[in-house]
Amino acid sequence: MAGFPEEPIYRQLARIGKALSNPVRLRLLDVLDERERTVEELAEAAGVALKNTSAQLQQLHAAHLVTSRRDGTRVYYRVAGEQVSRFLGRFQEFAHERLADLRDAVSEHLDSVAGVTADELAARLDDPDTVIVDVRSAAAYAEGHVPGAVSVPLSELRHRLADLPEDAEIVAYCGGPYCVVSPKAVRLLRERGLRARPLEGGLTGWRRSGRPLTAATTRGHREP
């Protein structure tokens, strides 16, 4: 059966759809959008077997969604530019609007506390009544964080509650849009009587909104 005249065009468009049709690949893209990583680091951070991570990376690379650089014997992977990052953000927003099952899954996975949007937080960066807490590791914080945020890894949060002001609202964030660390932090803070909300989308959502990071190192830099 003969194809329609425009079939070659739509076949190329379908390459992006095919690359996004696998949940593991979507997970890898979100993790890489936090910062560049080796395949071993990516597999560990994503919770995916190394062999599968390597295979899925090849699919993403073929669709030009991921790029790489070599540093000696190590190869680092990252999303292929800010356009890819923004596209992923819009894709997830669109899916969230269209799929009730996705909304239910997100609500169950991340609890039901309403988050602070990137726009809202940007308007409150100089607000003394807002404290921004980065609950990722200290190493991740050093590579880049929301301006004005303080580093309080989740493992230390319980022992550093006295350092947080009781009369301020605490905005906690972790890495990607579906990271469970900041909801855990918010739950702990609220149990201790503090006002706290998570940052919607985490650090990835902040960056996808076009806003800068502070103290990012070269290794975490992505080309525009």
Side-chain angles (χ1 to χ4, degrees), residues 37-40 68-77:
R37 303 174 192 264
T38 66
V39 64
E40 293 84 4
S68 62
R69 69 175 180 88
R70 182 175 293 276
D71 184 3
T73 60
R74 299 169 70 85
V75 178
Y76 292 93
Y77 295 88

Side-chain angles (χ1 to χ4, degrees), residues 111-141:
D111 295 336
S112 57
V113 177
V116 176
T117 67
D119 288 343
E120 182 182 353
L121 184 59
R124 297 169 58 181
L125 289 182
D126 297 323
D127 183 355
D129 294 325
T130 300
V131 175
I132 308 170
V133 174
D134 186 320
V135 295
R136 301 173 301 150
S137 68
Y141 172 87

Side-chain angles (χ1 to χ4, degrees), residues 63-208:
H64 302 285
L65 296 175
V66 164
T67 188
S68 62
R69 69 175 180 88
R70 182 175 293 276
D71 184 3
T73 60
R74 299 169 70 85
V75 178
Y76 292 93
Y77 295 88
R78 63 181 184 273
V79 296
E82 294 297 336
Q83 282 188 328
V84 175
S85 179
R86 290 193 293 268
F87 170 75
L88 292 171
R90 291 193 298 268
F91 169 72
Q92 290 173 354
E93 290 172 2
F94 177 78
H96 192 85
E97 291 174 357
R98 304 302 299 176
L99 301 175
D101 288 345
L102 174 60
R103 294 192 294 272
D104 291 343
V106 170
S107 179
E108 180 179 354
H109 186 66
L110 301 182
D111 295 336
S112 57
V113 177
V116 176
T117 67
D119 288 343
E120 182 182 353
L121 184 59
R124 297 169 58 181
L125 289 182
D126 297 323
D127 183 355
D129 294 325
T130 300
V131 175
I132 308 170
V133 174
D134 186 320
V135 295
R136 301 173 301 150
S137 68
Y141 172 87
E143 289 191 342
H145 53 270
V146 174
V150 295
S151 176
V152 186
L154 181 64
S155 60
E156 302 176 12
L157 182 59
R158 190 180 302 274
H159 306 291
R160 295 177 58 183
L161 291 173
D163 298 336
L164 300 174
E166 297 181 357
D167 56 348
E169 180 174 58
I170 299 168
V171 179
Y173 70 85
C174 47
Y178 307 120
C179 175
V180 299
V181 178
S182 57
K184 289 180 180 178
V186 167
R187 185 162 59 248
L188 173 61
L189 292 167
R190 293 167 76 95
E191 288 173 353
R192 296 301 189 275
L194 298 170
R195 291 186 295 134
R197 289 195 288 165
L199 172 62
E200 290 184 4
L203 187 70
T204 300
W206 172 267
R207 194 173 54 240
R208 284 174 178 171

